[in-house]
Amino acid sequence: MAVDNQKTNHKELLKWIFDMAKMCNPDKIVWIDGSEKQKEQLKKEAIQTGELIELNQEKLPGCVYHRTALNDVARTEHLTFICTDKKEEAGPNNNWMSPEEAYKKASDIFKDSMQGRTMYVIPFSMGPVESEFSKTGIELTDSIYVVLNMLIMAEVGDKVLKFLGNDGRFTQCLHGKAELDINKRLILHFPQDNAIWSVGSGYGGNVLLGKKCLSLRIASYMGRFEGWFAEHMLIIGVEDSSQKTTYIAAAFPSACGKTNLAMLIPPQSLAKKGYKIWTVGDDIAWMRVKEDGSLWAINPETGFFGVLPGTNSKTNYNAMQTIKKNTIYTNVLLKDDKTVWWEDGDGPVPESGTDWTGKPWKPGLKDENGKIINGANPNSRFTAPIKQCPSASPLIDDPEGVPISAIVFGGRRASLAPLVYQSFDWQHGVFTGSIMASEITAAQYGAQGKVRRDPMAMLPFCGYNMAEYFKHWLQTGKNIKNQPKIFHVNWFRTDKQGKFIWPGFSDNLRVLEWIIDRCNEKVGAVETPIGYIPSQADIDLDGLDINSSDIDELLKVNNDEWLGETESIKEFYSQFGDDLPQELNSELEKLVKRLKDS
Ligand code: SAT
Ligand code: MN
């Protein structure tokens, strides 16, 4: 198979493509140039083959629909591996396979798997081309769906190749659908080779290799050696009445409303004060210390890959505006008029349609066990350009990024964690991130109410031993002169009846207001054993139907409950053995002492 060498003189790149094509054996190789014309051609081709369905172009201009295979609707963490020479490098937080075994296993599946197919070459940049933050990747794939998604999610095409030049560094990203067989599926990361091999899947997080694979797993590994952070965080700017914008990066485990927070519309009383939210990103933050001594961040992505069920004009108006055009819809209900719908979306429940599996659907339909059949898969998604979001920050593609004043960690706890607290200092803040946890909800497997720890929301995404990752956080913090203040929030505290006490959604800005006022030294706080909390008077409750005993409950720190929590933290930490930085053990001991003494 000849590789068109008119495109680039990058010898290493050409050789790699040649080698991969030799293994996968495609009928032809096509370079993705990033042009509108090529994009439209590919769309047309995919519509002809049925890989995509064209949606109603009057109501949803530029939108297409895609269904994944039935057993291919989410990331498959048990098939995701970090392949380093030594197992200890990957740590207890990752599945590990030796590079030799991994390359061998995957090669057997890749062999001749692109026969009768085209191999697309996608040059992409995570972050604006030429920004000091950015990283270049080349993804080879046999899926037009992947090409079209990557065109939304990253900077793609000739401009990236040009930037790469004859010898630029790039991450090798190989993806093949093969047979879409879960028994022949592997998502492999080779951080020491700067390479990713993904085979047997067609689902977003497994195949859009610039996203979790490069921007978190590989990038976290790079950041460790290069002195920066690749984090699973949204980035927003909060503009206040003085038109000052304060930037926040926030990490939450899944199902905590990260995308909703990223696009928040202020409640009336705060809008009146002049507040406005600017969306920089909803999923990933790359952060580095600059010469001014501050921590600066970019969102390396140019698109959103968001969950649809539960998204509607009330929960996320800006998302609904964003996805009106040029959007790829995956695994939702297809209505008879070729528009789309999902559970808890806008509008009436359609009387009929075709469900995400391709079967005729109507409301109330049940499976053989009497369980209601959903029209949309619970993990159905939209892919849409950030630029279409009404709250998109004017700085989304600024190569300098934005300066971060606050880092916020969050969890889903029915009790224990108060609505918000501030860490005493950077080291205590790293401790706070390291003990992040959520209670398992009905939507997940496992015992309901059981606590699942997810440090910095990075458990599935940290490309190396998490104990070393904690050390990296502690160490890098020392290089930041203007350290961001670190907070923890919990929107999910419940009352005795199990009802959420805090209204959440747009009212979360009331908590962010306290956070940015803390950063700008405009408001006080009460010291507790776990950190600083606001006093009631410090949170703007204007227009909110909530009484003061509820607020007391939301801000309560129960020492006995927390002492129980410290036991669970000890147990969690024990998996890291001697690798755990002593600073974290010391923070744990200090917490126990404060809880006992107060
Ligand atoms: O991993 S995905 O990118 O598919 C979505 C997510 O889990 O955030
Ligand atoms: Mn995510």
PDB file of all heavy atoms in Angstrom, residues 23-24 97 102-114 117 142 174 176-188 197-201:
ATOM      1  N   MET A  23      -0.123  -3.726   8.238  1.00  0.00           N
ATOM      2  CA  MET A  23      -0.786  -4.634   9.180  1.00  0.00           C
ATOM      3  C   MET A  23      -2.299  -4.685   8.930  1.00  0.00           C
ATOM      4  O   MET A  23      -2.899  -5.754   8.864  1.00  0.00           O
ATOM      5  CB  MET A  23      -0.504  -4.172  10.621  1.00  0.00           C
ATOM      6  CG  MET A  23      -1.294  -4.898  11.680  1.00  0.00           C
ATOM      7  SD  MET A  23      -0.704  -4.519  13.338  1.00  0.00           S
ATOM      8  CE  MET A  23      -1.254  -2.822  13.540  1.00  0.00           C
ATOM      9  N   CYS A  24      -2.927  -3.508   8.771  1.00  0.00           N
ATOM     10  CA  CYS A  24      -4.401  -3.460   8.707  1.00  0.00           C
ATOM     11  C   CYS A  24      -4.928  -3.735   7.304  1.00  0.00           C
ATOM     12  O   CYS A  24      -6.086  -4.105   7.133  1.00  0.00           O
ATOM     13  CB  CYS A  24      -4.899  -2.107   9.191  1.00  0.00           C
ATOM     14  SG  CYS A  24      -4.403  -1.734  10.880  1.00  0.00           S
ATOM     15  N   MET A  97      -0.804  -4.239  31.131  1.00  0.00           N
ATOM     16  CA  MET A  97      -0.370  -5.334  30.261  1.00  0.00           C
ATOM     17  C   MET A  97       1.029  -4.974  29.783  1.00  0.00           C
ATOM     18  O   MET A  97       1.324  -3.781  29.600  1.00  0.00           O
ATOM     19  CB  MET A  97      -1.301  -5.449  29.052  1.00  0.00           C
ATOM     20  CG  MET A  97      -1.407  -6.860  28.478  1.00  0.00           C
ATOM     21  SD  MET A  97      -2.314  -6.877  26.901  1.00  0.00           S
ATOM     22  CE  MET A  97      -3.989  -6.739  27.406  1.00  0.00           C
ATOM     23  N   ALA A 102       0.703  -6.697  24.704  1.00  0.00           N
ATOM     24  CA  ALA A 102      -0.356  -5.822  24.198  1.00  0.00           C
ATOM     25  C   ALA A 102      -0.239  -5.661  22.677  1.00  0.00           C
ATOM     26  O   ALA A 102      -1.231  -5.814  21.947  1.00  0.00           O
ATOM     27  CB  ALA A 102      -0.279  -4.465  24.882  1.00  0.00           C
ATOM     28  N   TYR A 103       0.971  -5.355  22.196  1.00  0.00           N
ATOM     29  CA  TYR A 103       1.154  -5.190  20.747  1.00  0.00           C
ATOM     30  C   TYR A 103       0.806  -6.486  20.017  1.00  0.00           C
ATOM     31  O   TYR A 103       0.180  -6.481  18.958  1.00  0.00           O
ATOM     32  CB  TYR A 103       2.604  -4.785  20.431  1.00  0.00           C
ATOM     33  CG  TYR A 103       2.920  -3.321  20.673  1.00  0.00           C
ATOM     34  CD1 TYR A 103       4.006  -2.939  21.462  1.00  0.00           C
ATOM     35  CD2 TYR A 103       2.147  -2.312  20.093  1.00  0.00           C
ATOM     36  CE1 TYR A 103       4.314  -1.593  21.674  1.00  0.00           C
ATOM     37  CE2 TYR A 103       2.455  -0.965  20.308  1.00  0.00           C
ATOM     38  CZ  TYR A 103       3.532  -0.615  21.094  1.00  0.00           C
ATOM     39  OH  TYR A 103       3.829   0.715  21.295  1.00  0.00           O
ATOM     40  N   LYS A 104       1.200  -7.604  20.622  1.00  0.00           N
ATOM     41  CA  LYS A 104       0.962  -8.903  19.966  1.00  0.00           C
ATOM     42  C   LYS A 104      -0.551  -9.174  19.877  1.00  0.00           C
ATOM     43  O   LYS A 104      -1.083  -9.487  18.810  1.00  0.00           O
ATOM     44  CB  LYS A 104       1.696  -9.988  20.775  1.00  0.00           C
ATOM     45  CG  LYS A 104       1.359 -11.416  20.420  1.00  0.00           C
ATOM     46  CD  LYS A 104       2.145 -11.840  19.164  1.00  0.00           C
ATOM     47  CE  LYS A 104       1.852 -13.247  18.704  1.00  0.00           C
ATOM     48  NZ  LYS A 104       0.496 -13.477  18.233  1.00  0.00           N
ATOM     49  N   LYS A 105      -1.218  -9.023  21.017  1.00  0.00           N
ATOM     50  CA  LYS A 105      -2.665  -9.309  21.055  1.00  0.00           C
ATOM     51  C   LYS A 105      -3.429  -8.427  20.075  1.00  0.00           C
ATOM     52  O   LYS A 105      -4.299  -8.895  19.327  1.00  0.00           O
ATOM     53  CB  LYS A 105      -3.211  -9.063  22.464  1.00  0.00           C
ATOM     54  CG  LYS A 105      -3.078 -10.260  23.370  1.00  0.00           C
ATOM     55  CD  LYS A 105      -3.986 -10.077  24.574  1.00  0.00           C
ATOM     56  CE  LYS A 105      -4.063 -11.376  25.374  1.00  0.00           C
ATOM     57  NZ  LYS A 105      -4.244 -11.145  26.782  1.00  0.00           N
ATOM     58  N   ALA A 106      -3.105  -7.117  20.108  1.00  0.00           N
ATOM     59  CA  ALA A 106      -3.852  -6.183  19.262  1.00  0.00           C
ATOM     60  C   ALA A 106      -3.493  -6.391  17.788  1.00  0.00           C
ATOM     61  O   ALA A 106      -4.373  -6.302  16.920  1.00  0.00           O
ATOM     62  CB  ALA A 106      -3.574  -4.750  19.693  1.00  0.00           C
ATOM     63  N   SER A 107      -2.228  -6.680  17.495  1.00  0.00           N
ATOM     64  CA  SER A 107      -1.832  -6.908  16.091  1.00  0.00           C
ATOM     65  C   SER A 107      -2.648  -8.048  15.486  1.00  0.00           C
ATOM     66  O   SER A 107      -3.054  -7.980  14.329  1.00  0.00           O
ATOM     67  CB  SER A 107      -0.347  -7.282  15.978  1.00  0.00           C
ATOM     68  OG  SER A 107       0.439  -6.294  16.529  1.00  0.00           O
ATOM     69  N   ASP A 108      -2.857  -9.086  16.286  1.00  0.00           N
ATOM     70  CA  ASP A 108      -3.642 -10.222  15.776  1.00  0.00           C
ATOM     71  C   ASP A 108      -5.049  -9.778  15.379  1.00  0.00           C
ATOM     72  O   ASP A 108      -5.612 -10.292  14.415  1.00  0.00           O
ATOM     73  CB  ASP A 108      -3.732 -11.334  16.833  1.00  0.00           C
ATOM     74  CG  ASP A 108      -2.391 -12.056  17.003  1.00  0.00           C
ATOM     75  OD1 ASP A 108      -1.499 -11.835  16.140  1.00  0.00           O
ATOM     76  OD2 ASP A 108      -2.223 -12.793  17.992  1.00  0.00           O
ATOM     77  N   ILE A 109      -5.607  -8.848  16.136  1.00  0.00           N
ATOM     78  CA  ILE A 109      -6.964  -8.382  15.807  1.00  0.00           C
ATOM     79  C   ILE A 109      -6.925  -7.388  14.638  1.00  0.00           C
ATOM     80  O   ILE A 109      -7.776  -7.415  13.758  1.00  0.00           O
ATOM     81  CB  ILE A 109      -7.647  -7.740  17.042  1.00  0.00           C
ATOM     82  CG1 ILE A 109      -7.540  -8.667  18.255  1.00  0.00           C
ATOM     83  CG2 ILE A 109      -9.113  -7.421  16.746  1.00  0.00           C
ATOM     84  CD1 ILE A 109      -8.040  -8.044  19.558  1.00  0.00           C
ATOM     85  N   PHE A 110      -5.916  -6.512  14.645  1.00  0.00           N
ATOM     86  CA  PHE A 110      -5.810  -5.512  13.571  1.00  0.00           C
ATOM     87  C   PHE A 110      -5.493  -6.156  12.211  1.00  0.00           C
ATOM     88  O   PHE A 110      -5.844  -5.610  11.170  1.00  0.00           O
ATOM     89  CB  PHE A 110      -4.692  -4.501  13.893  1.00  0.00           C
ATOM     90  CG  PHE A 110      -5.150  -3.313  14.701  1.00  0.00           C
ATOM     91  CD1 PHE A 110      -4.626  -3.052  15.962  1.00  0.00           C
ATOM     92  CD2 PHE A 110      -6.105  -2.430  14.185  1.00  0.00           C
ATOM     93  CE1 PHE A 110      -5.031  -1.937  16.700  1.00  0.00           C
ATOM     94  CE2 PHE A 110      -6.510  -1.317  14.904  1.00  0.00           C
ATOM     95  CZ  PHE A 110      -5.973  -1.076  16.166  1.00  0.00           C
ATOM     96  N   LYS A 111      -4.834  -7.316  12.234  1.00  0.00           N
ATOM     97  CA  LYS A 111      -4.330  -7.910  10.989  1.00  0.00           C
ATOM     98  C   LYS A 111      -5.434  -8.016   9.929  1.00  0.00           C
ATOM     99  O   LYS A 111      -6.472  -8.639  10.164  1.00  0.00           O
ATOM    100  CB  LYS A 111      -3.731  -9.290  11.302  1.00  0.00           C
ATOM    101  CG  LYS A 111      -3.224 -10.044  10.121  1.00  0.00           C
ATOM    102  CD  LYS A 111      -1.809 -10.578  10.349  1.00  0.00           C
ATOM    103  CE  LYS A 111      -1.139 -11.061   9.078  1.00  0.00           C
ATOM    104  NZ  LYS A 111      -1.384 -10.306   7.874  1.00  0.00           N
ATOM    105  N   ASP A 112      -5.221  -7.363   8.807  1.00  0.00           N
ATOM    106  CA  ASP A 112      -6.142  -7.388   7.658  1.00  0.00           C
ATOM    107  C   ASP A 112      -7.545  -6.867   7.988  1.00  0.00           C
ATOM    108  O   ASP A 112      -8.478  -7.064   7.207  1.00  0.00           O
ATOM    109  CB  ASP A 112      -6.261  -8.802   7.071  1.00  0.00           C
ATOM    110  CG  ASP A 112      -4.932  -9.285   6.496  1.00  0.00           C
ATOM    111  OD1 ASP A 112      -4.157  -8.424   6.011  1.00  0.00           O
ATOM    112  OD2 ASP A 112      -4.663 -10.499   6.548  1.00  0.00           O
ATOM    113  N   SER A 113      -7.701  -6.209   9.145  1.00  0.00           N
ATOM    114  CA  SER A 113      -9.051  -5.818   9.567  1.00  0.00           C
ATOM    115  C   SER A 113      -9.614  -4.673   8.722  1.00  0.00           C
ATOM    116  O   SER A 113     -10.802  -4.381   8.795  1.00  0.00           O
ATOM    117  CB  SER A 113      -9.050  -5.412  11.045  1.00  0.00           C
ATOM    118  OG  SER A 113      -8.289  -4.232  11.217  1.00  0.00           O
ATOM    119  N   MET A 114      -8.775  -3.995   7.929  1.00  0.00           N
ATOM    120  CA  MET A 114      -9.294  -2.893   7.109  1.00  0.00           C
ATOM    121  C   MET A 114      -9.450  -3.295   5.644  1.00  0.00           C
ATOM    122  O   MET A 114      -9.663  -2.435   4.786  1.00  0.00           O
ATOM    123  CB  MET A 114      -8.404  -1.652   7.267  1.00  0.00           C
ATOM    124  CG  MET A 114      -8.431  -1.085   8.680  1.00  0.00           C
ATOM    125  SD  MET A 114      -7.613   0.516   8.811  1.00  0.00           S
ATOM    126  CE  MET A 114      -7.545   0.738  10.598  1.00  0.00           C
ATOM    127  N   ARG A 117     -11.934  -1.652   3.308  1.00  0.00           N
ATOM    128  CA  ARG A 117     -12.232  -0.367   3.951  1.00  0.00           C
ATOM    129  C   ARG A 117     -11.158   0.666   3.612  1.00  0.00           C
ATOM    130  O   ARG A 117     -10.117   0.331   3.064  1.00  0.00           O
ATOM    131  CB  ARG A 117     -12.260  -0.522   5.485  1.00  0.00           C
ATOM    132  CG  ARG A 117     -13.313  -1.495   5.969  1.00  0.00           C
ATOM    133  CD  ARG A 117     -13.299  -1.618   7.478  1.00  0.00           C
ATOM    134  NE  ARG A 117     -14.212  -2.685   7.900  1.00  0.00           N
ATOM    135  CZ  ARG A 117     -14.345  -3.117   9.143  1.00  0.00           C
ATOM    136  NH1 ARG A 117     -13.634  -2.575  10.106  1.00  0.00           N
ATOM    137  NH2 ARG A 117     -15.198  -4.079   9.429  1.00  0.00           N
ATOM    138  N   ASP A 142     -10.618   3.514  10.556  1.00  0.00           N
ATOM    139  CA  ASP A 142     -11.426   3.053   9.420  1.00  0.00           C
ATOM    140  C   ASP A 142     -12.891   3.472   9.596  1.00  0.00           C
ATOM    141  O   ASP A 142     -13.773   2.878   8.991  1.00  0.00           O
ATOM    142  CB  ASP A 142     -11.292   1.533   9.238  1.00  0.00           C
ATOM    143  CG  ASP A 142     -11.655   0.749  10.496  1.00  0.00           C
ATOM    144  OD1 ASP A 142     -12.076   1.373  11.497  1.00  0.00           O
ATOM    145  OD2 ASP A 142     -11.529  -0.494  10.482  1.00  0.00           O
ATOM    146  N   LEU A 174      -3.810   4.721  16.748  1.00  0.00           N
ATOM    147  CA  LEU A 174      -4.357   3.771  15.765  1.00  0.00           C
ATOM    148  C   LEU A 174      -5.709   3.268  16.241  1.00  0.00           C
ATOM    149  O   LEU A 174      -5.820   2.756  17.364  1.00  0.00           O
ATOM    150  CB  LEU A 174      -3.389   2.593  15.596  1.00  0.00           C
ATOM    151  CG  LEU A 174      -3.894   1.445  14.716  1.00  0.00           C
ATOM    152  CD1 LEU A 174      -4.075   1.894  13.272  1.00  0.00           C
ATOM    153  CD2 LEU A 174      -2.941   0.244  14.784  1.00  0.00           C
ATOM    154  N   GLY A 176      -9.143   0.919  14.944  1.00  0.00           N
ATOM    155  CA  GLY A 176      -9.843   0.108  13.950  1.00  0.00           C
ATOM    156  C   GLY A 176     -11.101  -0.484  14.561  1.00  0.00           C
ATOM    157  O   GLY A 176     -11.105  -0.890  15.723  1.00  0.00           O
ATOM    158  N   LYS A 177     -12.162  -0.488  13.760  1.00  0.00           N
ATOM    159  CA  LYS A 177     -13.418  -1.071  14.261  1.00  0.00           C
ATOM    160  C   LYS A 177     -13.312  -2.590  14.354  1.00  0.00           C
ATOM    161  O   LYS A 177     -13.990  -3.222  15.149  1.00  0.00           O
ATOM    162  CB  LYS A 177     -14.572  -0.724  13.304  1.00  0.00           C
ATOM    163  CG  LYS A 177     -14.938   0.734  13.278  1.00  0.00           C
ATOM    164  CD  LYS A 177     -16.180   0.981  12.414  1.00  0.00           C
ATOM    165  CE  LYS A 177     -15.844   0.911  10.937  1.00  0.00           C
ATOM    166  NZ  LYS A 177     -16.929   1.421  10.044  1.00  0.00           N
ATOM    167  N   ALA A 178     -12.486  -3.179  13.466  1.00  0.00           N
ATOM    168  CA  ALA A 178     -12.406  -4.638  13.330  1.00  0.00           C
ATOM    169  C   ALA A 178     -13.823  -5.201  13.254  1.00  0.00           C
ATOM    170  O   ALA A 178     -14.627  -4.726  12.453  1.00  0.00           O
ATOM    171  CB  ALA A 178     -11.580  -5.249  14.442  1.00  0.00           C
ATOM    172  N   GLU A 179     -14.186  -6.130  14.140  1.00  0.00           N
ATOM    173  CA  GLU A 179     -15.537  -6.722  14.045  1.00  0.00           C
ATOM    174  C   GLU A 179     -16.501  -6.135  15.066  1.00  0.00           C
ATOM    175  O   GLU A 179     -17.605  -6.648  15.236  1.00  0.00           O
ATOM    176  CB  GLU A 179     -15.440  -8.239  14.274  1.00  0.00           C
ATOM    177  CG  GLU A 179     -14.659  -8.964  13.198  1.00  0.00           C
ATOM    178  CD  GLU A 179     -14.164 -10.324  13.697  1.00  0.00           C
ATOM    179  OE1 GLU A 179     -15.008 -11.161  14.049  1.00  0.00           O
ATOM    180  OE2 GLU A 179     -12.940 -10.499  13.757  1.00  0.00           O
ATOM    181  N   LEU A 180     -16.080  -5.079  15.758  1.00  0.00           N
ATOM    182  CA  LEU A 180     -16.894  -4.490  16.831  1.00  0.00           C
ATOM    183  C   LEU A 180     -17.336  -5.566  17.822  1.00  0.00           C
ATOM    184  O   LEU A 180     -18.448  -5.543  18.340  1.00  0.00           O
ATOM    185  CB  LEU A 180     -18.122  -3.756  16.255  1.00  0.00           C
ATOM    186  CG  LEU A 180     -17.825  -2.530  15.411  1.00  0.00           C
ATOM    187  CD1 LEU A 180     -19.101  -1.973  14.788  1.00  0.00           C
ATOM    188  CD2 LEU A 180     -17.141  -1.422  16.226  1.00  0.00           C
ATOM    189  N   ASP A 181     -16.423  -6.499  18.063  1.00  0.00           N
ATOM    190  CA  ASP A 181     -16.720  -7.629  18.938  1.00  0.00           C
ATOM    191  C   ASP A 181     -16.098  -7.344  20.299  1.00  0.00           C
ATOM    192  O   ASP A 181     -14.889  -7.107  20.400  1.00  0.00           O
ATOM    193  CB  ASP A 181     -16.105  -8.888  18.306  1.00  0.00           C
ATOM    194  CG  ASP A 181     -16.266 -10.110  19.179  1.00  0.00           C
ATOM    195  OD1 ASP A 181     -16.747  -9.978  20.322  1.00  0.00           O
ATOM    196  OD2 ASP A 181     -15.899 -11.202  18.697  1.00  0.00           O
ATOM    197  N   ILE A 182     -16.929  -7.360  21.339  1.00  0.00           N
ATOM    198  CA  ILE A 182     -16.413  -7.011  22.676  1.00  0.00           C
ATOM    199  C   ILE A 182     -15.320  -7.981  23.130  1.00  0.00           C
ATOM    200  O   ILE A 182     -14.448  -7.640  23.923  1.00  0.00           O
ATOM    201  CB  ILE A 182     -17.565  -6.900  23.711  1.00  0.00           C
ATOM    202  CG1 ILE A 182     -17.057  -6.231  25.000  1.00  0.00           C
ATOM    203  CG2 ILE A 182     -18.181  -8.255  24.012  1.00  0.00           C
ATOM    204  CD1 ILE A 182     -18.131  -5.675  25.899  1.00  0.00           C
ATOM    205  N   ASN A 183     -15.339  -9.186  22.582  1.00  0.00           N
ATOM    206  CA  ASN A 183     -14.289 -10.162  22.943  1.00  0.00           C
ATOM    207  C   ASN A 183     -12.983  -9.915  22.200  1.00  0.00           C
ATOM    208  O   ASN A 183     -11.979 -10.569  22.470  1.00  0.00           O
ATOM    209  CB  ASN A 183     -14.781 -11.584  22.687  1.00  0.00           C
ATOM    210  CG  ASN A 183     -15.979 -11.901  23.560  1.00  0.00           C
ATOM    211  OD1 ASN A 183     -15.945 -11.666  24.768  1.00  0.00           O
ATOM    212  ND2 ASN A 183     -17.063 -12.355  22.939  1.00  0.00           N
ATOM    213  N   LYS A 184     -13.052  -9.029  21.224  1.00  0.00           N
ATOM    214  CA  LYS A 184     -11.819  -8.662  20.521  1.00  0.00           C
ATOM    215  C   LYS A 184     -11.649  -7.144  20.585  1.00  0.00           C
ATOM    216  O   LYS A 184     -11.384  -6.501  19.571  1.00  0.00           O
ATOM    217  CB  LYS A 184     -11.887  -9.127  19.062  1.00  0.00           C
ATOM    218  CG  LYS A 184     -11.867 -10.633  18.911  1.00  0.00           C
ATOM    219  CD  LYS A 184     -11.829 -10.988  17.447  1.00  0.00           C
ATOM    220  CE  LYS A 184     -12.077 -12.468  17.249  1.00  0.00           C
ATOM    221  NZ  LYS A 184     -12.411 -12.727  15.844  1.00  0.00           N
ATOM    222  N   ARG A 185     -11.875  -6.613  21.744  1.00  0.00           N
ATOM    223  CA  ARG A 185     -11.778  -5.161  21.944  1.00  0.00           C
ATOM    224  C   ARG A 185     -10.655  -4.865  22.935  1.00  0.00           C
ATOM    225  O   ARG A 185     -10.575  -5.498  23.988  1.00  0.00           O
ATOM    226  CB  ARG A 185     -13.110  -4.630  22.487  1.00  0.00           C
ATOM    227  CG  ARG A 185     -13.137  -3.126  22.708  1.00  0.00           C
ATOM    228  CD  ARG A 185     -14.530  -2.665  23.139  1.00  0.00           C
ATOM    229  NE  ARG A 185     -15.540  -3.077  22.173  1.00  0.00           N
ATOM    230  CZ  ARG A 185     -16.844  -3.141  22.418  1.00  0.00           C
ATOM    231  NH1 ARG A 185     -17.309  -2.816  23.605  1.00  0.00           N
ATOM    232  NH2 ARG A 185     -17.687  -3.524  21.486  1.00  0.00           N
ATOM    233  N   LEU A 186      -9.803  -3.924  22.589  1.00  0.00           N
ATOM    234  CA  LEU A 186      -8.714  -3.524  23.491  1.00  0.00           C
ATOM    235  C   LEU A 186      -8.456  -2.033  23.325  1.00  0.00           C
ATOM    236  O   LEU A 186      -8.408  -1.529  22.195  1.00  0.00           O
ATOM    237  CB  LEU A 186      -7.418  -4.279  23.147  1.00  0.00           C
ATOM    238  CG  LEU A 186      -7.360  -5.774  23.503  1.00  0.00           C
ATOM    239  CD1 LEU A 186      -6.160  -6.420  22.828  1.00  0.00           C
ATOM    240  CD2 LEU A 186      -7.300  -5.986  25.021  1.00  0.00           C
ATOM    241  N   ILE A 187      -8.321  -1.334  24.435  1.00  0.00           N
ATOM    242  CA  ILE A 187      -7.980   0.091  24.398  1.00  0.00           C
ATOM    243  C   ILE A 187      -6.631   0.191  25.119  1.00  0.00           C
ATOM    244  O   ILE A 187      -6.560   0.112  26.348  1.00  0.00           O
ATOM    245  CB  ILE A 187      -9.044   0.956  25.124  1.00  0.00           C
ATOM    246  CG1 ILE A 187     -10.478   0.471  24.849  1.00  0.00           C
ATOM    247  CG2 ILE A 187      -8.849   2.436  24.793  1.00  0.00           C
ATOM    248  CD1 ILE A 187     -10.939   0.543  23.425  1.00  0.00           C
ATOM    249  N   LEU A 188      -5.561   0.351  24.326  1.00  0.00           N
ATOM    250  CA  LEU A 188      -4.211   0.194  24.872  1.00  0.00           C
ATOM    251  C   LEU A 188      -3.444   1.506  24.821  1.00  0.00           C
ATOM    252  O   LEU A 188      -3.433   2.184  23.792  1.00  0.00           O
ATOM    253  CB  LEU A 188      -3.449  -0.866  24.064  1.00  0.00           C
ATOM    254  CG  LEU A 188      -4.146  -2.221  23.912  1.00  0.00           C
ATOM    255  CD1 LEU A 188      -3.395  -3.087  22.901  1.00  0.00           C
ATOM    256  CD2 LEU A 188      -4.227  -2.934  25.259  1.00  0.00           C
ATOM    257  N   TRP A 197      -3.384   2.368  20.909  1.00  0.00           N
ATOM    258  CA  TRP A 197      -4.011   1.432  19.960  1.00  0.00           C
ATOM    259  C   TRP A 197      -5.382   1.073  20.501  1.00  0.00           C
ATOM    260  O   TRP A 197      -5.504   0.595  21.633  1.00  0.00           O
ATOM    261  CB  TRP A 197      -3.183   0.142  19.819  1.00  0.00           C
ATOM    262  CG  TRP A 197      -1.978   0.274  18.938  1.00  0.00           C
ATOM    263  CD1 TRP A 197      -1.303   1.416  18.622  1.00  0.00           C
ATOM    264  CD2 TRP A 197      -1.297  -0.803  18.268  1.00  0.00           C
ATOM    265  NE1 TRP A 197      -0.245   1.127  17.791  1.00  0.00           N
ATOM    266  CE2 TRP A 197      -0.214  -0.231  17.564  1.00  0.00           C
ATOM    267  CE3 TRP A 197      -1.485  -2.187  18.202  1.00  0.00           C
ATOM    268  CZ2 TRP A 197       0.668  -0.993  16.804  1.00  0.00           C
ATOM    269  CZ3 TRP A 197      -0.615  -2.958  17.457  1.00  0.00           C
ATOM    270  CH2 TRP A 197       0.453  -2.358  16.752  1.00  0.00           C
ATOM    271  N   SER A 198      -6.404   1.304  19.686  1.00  0.00           N
ATOM    272  CA  SER A 198      -7.765   0.986  20.111  1.00  0.00           C
ATOM    273  C   SER A 198      -8.422   0.149  19.028  1.00  0.00           C
ATOM    274  O   SER A 198      -8.504   0.568  17.875  1.00  0.00           O
ATOM    275  CB  SER A 198      -8.537   2.294  20.311  1.00  0.00           C
ATOM    276  OG  SER A 198      -9.930   2.058  20.315  1.00  0.00           O
ATOM    277  N   VAL A 199      -8.926  -1.014  19.402  1.00  0.00           N
ATOM    278  CA  VAL A 199      -9.502  -1.887  18.382  1.00  0.00           C
ATOM    279  C   VAL A 199     -10.776  -2.567  18.888  1.00  0.00           C
ATOM    280  O   VAL A 199     -10.895  -2.873  20.072  1.00  0.00           O
ATOM    281  CB  VAL A 199      -8.460  -2.950  17.908  1.00  0.00           C
ATOM    282  CG1 VAL A 199      -8.104  -3.946  18.991  1.00  0.00           C
ATOM    283  CG2 VAL A 199      -8.935  -3.665  16.642  1.00  0.00           C
ATOM    284  N   GLY A 200     -11.766  -2.688  17.988  1.00  0.00           N
ATOM    285  CA  GLY A 200     -12.966  -3.455  18.310  1.00  0.00           C
ATOM    286  C   GLY A 200     -14.108  -2.632  18.864  1.00  0.00           C
ATOM    287  O   GLY A 200     -15.116  -3.182  19.298  1.00  0.00           O
ATOM    288  N   SER A 201     -13.974  -1.300  18.874  1.00  0.00           N
ATOM    289  CA  SER A 201     -15.049  -0.462  19.404  1.00  0.00           C
ATOM    290  C   SER A 201     -15.350   0.672  18.435  1.00  0.00           C
ATOM    291  O   SER A 201     -14.516   1.040  17.599  1.00  0.00           O
ATOM    292  CB  SER A 201     -14.635   0.126  20.762  1.00  0.00           C
ATOM    293  OG  SER A 201     -15.598   1.072  21.196  1.00  0.00           O
TER     294      SER A 201
END
